[in-house]
Amino acid sequence: MCGIVGYIGQGPSSPVLVEGLSKLAYRGYDSSGIAFLDNGSITVQKAAGKLEKLTERLIIGGDEGIGIGHTRWATHGPATTENAHPHLSQHKQIVIVHNGIIENHLALKNELSWFGYDTYLSETDSEVVAHLIEHFYRSSHDLLEALHQAVEKMEGSYAIAALAADRPQEIVAVRKNSPLIIGLGEGENFLASDVPAILSRTRRVMYLNDDEYARLGREKVEIFARDLSPIDREVCQIDWDIKTAEKGGYDTFTLKEIHEQPRAIRETISHRIKQGRLSLELELLESMAPSLQRITIVACGTAYHAGLIGKTVIEELVGLPVQVEIASEFWSVARFLTPADLVIAVSQSGETIDTLQAIRLARRAGAKVLSILNVVGSTLARESDAVLYTWAGPEIGVASTKAYTTQLAAFFMLALSLSGSGQEAELLELADQVDQALATEETIRRIAREQAANEKIMFLGRGVDYYTALEASLKLKEISYINCLAMPAGELKHGTIALVEPGTWVVAFLTQSQTYDKMVSNLKEVRARGAKVLAITCLSGDSLADAADEIIHLPKTLEHYAPMVSIIPAQLLAYYIATERGLDVDQPRNLAKSVTVE
Ligand code: M6R
């Protein structure tokens, strides 16, 4: 969480920093700030609230072409101006921005108090970092060395950028478990948490790894290892277009991304099918496949739901047992892994710390890690044994939509590849079927208007449709703030049906013929207790007419592919209920796109 930017160049830094922060707002947006050097002193400007709160009061001037900025997702202390970054050191010689958590900040404060550092203006864990660097800088007068000494004392996770008031020639930075990239320009260089922040300025990028340091000057960038020995780092060329990270005529990123799904799915799949045959070119999979006894999938949130559907399709087509674990709970199962295990990690960002920690445990146990990822060059990509990329393009809206359906595409391809079941033609049809599902938009919009004020919403399904219900419910919760729930329909009568009363709205998924009749019975049960039912189905059956108030019909697919199509009306439903409620869909409260704290 939190976005960091840094700029060292010729003109004033504040416009560059603010532009960079606007592209990182998806990482956190409860407050923001910038700091720049101004005739040998540090000017800090910050504000609680979204970035506009900062820009509306920003004073530009006296800037020496060097600055750092930050957009925050609060961990320690509420979203106030005082707690916003950057943070100045006690004697105002150093200013820092920090992403992550300094776990031993209280012990560090205690230690620093012996040296007269006892003034803190914020409740954050980060402010102590500024004091600590200043403490070391005062004796060495070497900013990189001071950062290094400070880091040696820190426990936790961090991406840090720091400036000194009397060093207009450099920005120093370090990372551990929080991403940092460096953008290379002509006579100017950039630092950021993610590529979109710098893409309008340069496409030449270097990635910093954990425990590495960077020193940015105007003419050169140096990278150092943990012991400050210099490292040569390759320069990568970013080939995607900044336009793909803009709204392109849609009101919100989320709506644009929902509509991009046919393209994203098509690109994810079609590149891997040559002359009608699927070819993933994954050596790891080929070498492990003959002796594979089980697969473990690990992920968080929406990616976890994609994993649940991945489990179903792999079990069905390949006949291998698959377990799916929430990454933050993985520690309890990692001890059972052996070198014969394949762990599949799923992540849009490739920076989710819970997922990263899980694969580190898995690799320590000797297991091999295959990751399904959207972001090329992400930390997970670099720490995995093999990667299967989704081609969703940048996903900016906090609610994951196109990343999810392309993750499903990746799982379908993995299952096909392991089973050799030859269903490539049906796989290729999915993008068009998702397009047809998007044609339900106007109907869904009307239903959303009718239900926007309803606080009692329940999603039901059986088997794979229950997993879709989980994802549908998460979408609605995170952007509409409705306390809804998802249930396996058969489990309802074991307690939760007590919640059903007149006015309860039930959204049900029926895409599997094996469970269709039982679902119809369950829907009749809730209707008998006053619930209204919206059924979403790819199947045709007369009995549903008596069990639902409204039916959304979707194109028929192979049944194990159906979750890719049935989630579409649910995404639209969450979207339009949220907009009916007047909420900020792209940046819902309390959330951040990339979750880099445990
Ligand atoms: O970047 P990741 O896919 O690893 O992120 C995992 C979850 O944080 C993410 O899917 C989250 O649940 C989404 N915001 C939900 O829409």
Side-chain angles (χ1 to χ4, degrees):
M1 327 319 243
C2 303
I4 286 178
V5 291
Y7 175 71
I8 180 160
Q10 312 304 333
S13 64
S14 28
V16 186
L17 297 174
V18 168
E19 188 199 336
L21 289 180
S22 73
K23 301 286 189 291
L24 293 183
Y26 71 88
R27 301 181 64 84
Y29 37 77
D30 59 38
S31 55
S32 57
I34 62 168
F36 51 79
L37 297 193
D38 177 1
N39 287 324
S41 71
I42 297 168
T43 299
V44 176
Q45 301 186 34
K46 43 194 195 177
K50 297 225 165 128
L51 187 61
E52 298 77 59
K53 295 283 177 211
L54 175 71
T55 49
E56 73 201 14
R57 69 183 66 163
L58 199 66
I59 302 156
I60 300 178
D63 181 338
E64 292 177 35
I66 175 169
I68 52 179
H70 188 271
T71 177
R72 180 170 185 247
W73 185 85
T75 59
H76 292 58
T80 60
T81 301
E82 295 71 34
N83 290 335
H85 298 218
H87 291 291
L88 271 172
S89 58
Q90 188 160 306
H91 304 288
K92 302 189 172 24
Q93 278 183 290
I94 301 289
V95 67
I96 64 106
V97 286
H98 166 228
N99 172 12
I101 293 178
I102 306 299
E103 285 163 6
N104 61 339
H105 66 282
L106 293 176
L108 291 174
K109 278 185 179 177
N110 206 11
E111 226 179 287
L112 275 171
S113 68
W114 291 97
F115 301 97
Y117 283 91
D118 50 14
T119 308
Y120 291 87
L121 305 178
S122 76
E123 298 160 75
T124 65
D125 55 324
S126 310
E127 194 177 357
V128 73
V129 175
H131 291 15
L132 196 59
I133 298 174
E134 183 179 79
H135 168 65
F136 290 118
Y137 185 66
R138 292 188 121 194
S139 46
S140 69
H141 225 76
D142 178 332
L143 187 55
L144 184 67
E145 181 56 39
L147 175 65
H148 183 247
Q149 284 176 286
V151 163
E152 293 286 293
K153 291 204 155 277
M154 285 179 213
E155 286 163 22
S157 59
Y158 40 79
I160 297 167
L163 297 181
D166 58 354
R167 294 195 76 77
Q169 68 274 39
E170 65 184 8
I171 301 176
V172 295
V174 63
R175 73 157 271 183
K176 183 181 181 193
N177 288 339
S178 277
L180 269 184
I181 58 125
I182 293 156
L184 305 172
E186 297 296 328
E188 59 181 6
N189 291 305
F190 310 84
L191 185 72
S193 298
D194 197 2
V195 172
I198 56 153
L199 210 51
S200 68
R201 312 252 163 197
T202 180
R203 290 174 172 279
R204 294 169 60 233
V205 164
M206 291 196 305
Y207 293 93
L208 210 59
N209 292 325
D210 272 354
D211 297 314
E212 288 180 352
Y213 294 78
R215 178 159 59 197
L216 283 75
R218 287 175 179 77
E219 300 299 337
K220 83 170 172 184
V221 168
E222 298 157 283
I223 311 263
F224 303 93
R226 189 183 193 148
D227 60 359
L228 290 191
S229 56
I231 295 180
D232 271 340
R233 178 57 36 82
E234 63 168 329
V235 177
C236 303
Q237 189 75 19
I238 301 295
D239 56 8
W240 47 273
D241 193 343
I242 186 69
K243 285 213 170 49
T244 53
E246 285 169 355
K247 285 185 198 154
Y250 285 93
D251 287 346
T252 61
F253 281 112
T254 308
L255 190 59
K256 175 187 168 236
E257 287 159 8
I258 289 174
H259 280 273
E260 279 176 343
Q261 291 180 102
R263 181 208 48 79
I265 294 162
R266 197 170 289 118
E267 286 188 9
T268 300
I269 296 172
S270 60
H271 283 91
R272 273 83 181 221
I273 298 188
K274 291 170 189 124
Q275 278 130 22
R277 295 298 298 166
L278 180 70
S279 160
L280 292 183
E281 288 165 14
L282 285 173
E283 261 175 48
L284 176 74
L285 207 60
E286 283 159 27
S287 63
M288 290 188 85
S291 55
L292 213 49
Q293 295 298 313
R294 64 172 177 183
I295 293 175
T296 304
I297 297 172
V298 65
C300 306
T302 288
Y304 169 74
H305 297 153
L308 290 170
I309 287 167
K311 164 191 164 74
T312 316
V313 71
I314 294 171
E315 285 183 340
E316 190 173 319
L317 294 186
V318 190
L320 265 183
V322 181
Q323 64 192 74
V324 192
E325 302 293 338
I326 290 176
S328 55
E329 297 293 327
F330 192 69
W331 52 271
S332 61
V333 290
R335 64 202 158 109
F336 298 114
L337 294 174
T338 71
D341 277 291
L342 176 66
V343 171
I344 303 180
V346 194
S347 174
Q348 186 285 129
S349 62
E351 300 296 345
T352 303
I353 189 71
D354 290 327
T355 312
L356 263 168
Q357 298 293 41
I359 68 143
R360 286 170 185 162
L361 288 176
R363 295 190 82 194
R364 222 170 286 152
K368 291 280 181 282
V369 174
L370 165 64
S371 288
I372 295 175
L373 299 176
N374 193 37
V375 178
V376 178
S378 57
T379 309
L380 250 165
R382 282 174 283 138
E383 294 194 20
S384 300
D385 295 292
V387 179
L388 178 58
Y389 282 109
T390 54
W391 290 46
E395 190 181 66
I396 311 290
V398 164
S400 191
T401 53
K402 60 177 179 169
Y404 175 70
T405 43
T406 52
Q407 284 160 359
L408 296 189
F411 273 118
F412 297 165
M413 291 192 294
L414 278 180
L416 281 199
S417 168
L418 284 168
S419 65
S421 53
Q423 293 166 347
E424 284 87 344
E426 290 86 349
L427 195 64
L428 281 168
E429 282 169 17
L430 278 170
D432 287 342
Q433 288 162 334
V434 165
D435 213 1
Q436 290 161 35
L438 283 166
T440 60
E441 186 164 10
E442 278 316 306
T443 310
I444 295 287
R445 202 169 179 169
R446 192 249 313 144
I447 297 172
R449 264 196 300 274
E450 290 163 11
Q451 295 295 337
N454 200 334
E455 294 289 339
K456 282 207 137 191
I457 302 182
M458 208 178 262
F459 293 90
L460 297 182
R462 281 176 176 252
V464 85
D465 286 333
Y466 164 55
Y467 302 147
T468 303
L470 284 173
E471 174 57 10
S473 162
L474 177 61
K475 282 296 83 96
L476 189 65
K477 283 186 197 96
E478 69 179 322
I479 60 176
S480 298
Y481 315 150
I482 295 174
N483 193 354
C484 54
L485 58 86
M487 285 291 296
E491 182 65 9
L492 201 61
K493 57 189 171 297
H494 298 287
T496 313
I497 200 165
L499 294 176
V500 176
E501 59 184 349
T504 303
W505 193 46
V506 170
V507 180
F509 298 91
L510 298 93
T511 68
Q512 308 294 305
S513 39
Q514 205 191 336
T515 54
Y516 187 83
D517 290 341
K518 286 191 170 51
M519 273 300 293
V520 167
S521 302
N522 295 144
L523 296 183
K524 286 185 176 165
E525 287 156 15
V526 295
R527 279 187 100 206
R529 286 156 181 85
K532 293 261 176 276
V533 172
L534 170 69
I536 297 174
T537 186
C538 306
L539 303 172
S540 40
D542 295 339
S543 53
L544 190 55
D546 293 337
D549 297 273
E550 192 140 18
I551 304 175
I552 299 280
H553 289 282
L554 297 172
K556 197 164 169 44
T557 64
L558 284 182
E559 288 192 7
H560 46 257
Y561 292 161
M564 189 187 275
V565 177
S566 58
I567 193 60
I568 303 297
Q571 293 171 342
L572 289 166
L573 200 58
Y575 180 82
Y576 283 113
I577 288 181
T579 51
E580 279 297 318
R581 290 179 157 223
L583 298 171
D584 183 342
V585 179
D586 283 343
Q587 297 183 346
R589 71 182 180 205
N590 302 342
L591 293 174
K593 182 72 181 161
S594 188
V595 183
T596 54
V597 291
E598 281 178 278

